Amino acid sequence: MDGDDSPWGDVPTQSKNGSKENTSSDSKVAGTNAPVKPAGGRQPRPGKRQPAHSSRLEAIGDDLDPLGPLGAKVEAAEEPEEPPALPRKENHAGAPQTKTASPAAQRNRPDISQEPLPSRPKSSYAGQTANDGMSRQTQASMSVEQASKPWFNISVGDPHKVGDLTSSHTVFQVRTRTSSMAYRTSEFEVSRRYKDFLWLYNQLHSNNPGVVVPPPPDKQAVGRFDTNFVESRRAALERMLNKTAAHPILQHDGDLKLFLESESFNVDVKHRERKDPDMPETKGMFSGLNLSVGSNAKFVEHDDWFLDRRAYLDILETQLKGLLKATDTAISQRKMLAEASAEFSGSLDTLSQVELSPTLSGPLASLSDLQLRIRDLYDRQAQQDVLTLGIVIDEYIRLIGSIKKAFEQRQRSWQGWHNADSDLQKRRSALDKLMRQGRSQQDKMSQLQADVGDAERRAHQAKLQFDDLGKGMRAELERFEREKVEDFRMGVETYLESAVEAQKELIELWETYLMHFDAESEEPNPVKDRVAPQAVPTSSENAASASTEVPDARPSENGIDNAPREESHVE
């Protein structure tokens, strides 16, 4: 039978070239394992066997079905641009793949031509896998970066008074939400009092020299249970904790974690002090160097940058204190205005109760109620001024005090370096003096040399610490300037918005009162409403009434009868 009669081309007499190609392919495959001599006796050239090892990329561009080709005619009709399948298969001898199926096996699957060829999906899937791997790597690096900079959301609320008359104090609920993996859970809540916040501030200062630690509000003995004072203190403590947790150095401090998370805070603090009574962070920044910083050497600043910043901070502190004083005066005057509105309301209410006329007592009573609302408005506005602008000014005055403490730590660092250098010079002088005396005291000389080495190490560490402290303070002051601009901008915007809203509310109150007042003034008088209006009589009604009217027989004062005359009746 001819090859044209078979749709699969599986007749052995179809093509002789196919058998030759199969034979050559078998010989080539076998040639990869052991050299086979052809019939002519020639040895195959090594250059012809090289492509068999360089064709391992056939799986990427393989357009054949895994079970074999579907036929030469179908392949040529569907993809005429593709190279023949057999050279690709023999080039892919080194890679694991399924061999071409026999003609009988090809007959048993006639419906496989309807299935899509998997070559292109494989190639595209490989590219997608590579892209997915790159995206996964990018996401992993972003998660690590986010883990190194966790976010915190801390709120201080629910202030309540506890204790008896002698030990009464205010307790706050500190609620924390964070993404940091250093904490047991992502949300937790603890109870803290004011002295706990003060303890945290002192610990952070001693643990992190040169860092500007956000300070708590000042302590107040008189009026500490007043509602407005408790609210302003609560807001200041909340700002302190959020700024501390947002700091890239302070957020990793162990004392902050203890403060935010410990449910038995006082017990944990005492246990820690008993466990590590000589911790470097509790004794000072130079305890690890065994240096005494109580030297009489006077610190002289030689860095112009720090001199300018110190002078700038002094001027800024003076100006902020003046601004805070003026703000307090404005707030006090607003509170006095609220008190004056309350007194005015009381006077109007008393007058409205005395006044008998309802047309006057009603507007007076309404005006009295209006003044009470204005009093409440002034009180809220005064408290809002404290929480928006006053708290920012007070916070930065305290932050300047914290910066000055950092300057003092830098000064103590310089004194420690100076003491270490002085001790080094003394030991070197003693060693030089001993070396000039000769070698009679070799043991003492060895001890002095060891002491000189230790002194050099301590002096070098003190100098490095002083330099690092200066670099850290530069970064902290730059951070202070950025946050100062942002905080004051937001504080002023909030202050202006609250002032505008208060004025709008005040105008609305007055407009509402005027509308009611005008409506009451346009209403008719209730006294006049009780007298019925008389209708104007017509001419016929006048004639009828005149005919039936009985004349008045009373004489007039002149003795003339007032009775109507006859002619008027005839008319």
Side-chain angles (χ1 to χ4, degrees), residues 58 64 139 144 148 212 248 282 290 382 433 471 490 535 541 561:
E58 186 268 339
L64 299 177
Q139 293 177 359
V144 170
S148 62
V212 180
T282 58
N290 296 324
K433 183 178 180 180
K471 293 179 182 179
M490 294 181 62
E541 291 177 352
D561 191 1

Side-chain angles (χ1 to χ4, degrees), residues 177-188:
R177 295 178 61 251
T178 179
S179 62
S180 176
M181 302 301 295
Y183 295 84
R184 293 192 296 266
T185 58
S186 60
E187 296 184 11
F188 40 89

Side-chain angles (χ1 to χ4, degrees), residues 311-332:
Y312 163 74
L313 290 174
D314 292 338
I315 298 174
L316 180 62
E317 183 180 15
T318 303
Q319 293 178 350
L320 288 179
K321 287 182 178 179
L323 180 60
L324 181 62
K325 184 178 179 181
T327 305
D328 292 340
T329 303
I331 294 172
S332 300

Side-chain angles (χ1 to χ4, degrees), residues 3-40:
D4 298 332
D5 296 336
S6 176
W8 302 102
D10 53 351
V11 181
T13 60
Q14 176 186 3
S15 176
K16 296 182 180 180
N17 295 331
S19 61
K20 291 181 181 181
E21 289 178 357
N22 293 332
T23 305
S24 62
S25 63
D26 295 337
S27 64
K28 288 182 180 179
V29 173
T32 57
N33 298 327
V36 178
K37 295 181 180 181

Side-chain angles (χ1 to χ4, degrees), residues 63-82:
D63 295 331
L64 299 177
D65 191 88
L67 298 179
L70 301 180
K73 292 183 179 180
V74 176
E75 181 180 0
E78 290 182 356
E79 296 181 0
E81 297 180 359
E82 301 246 344

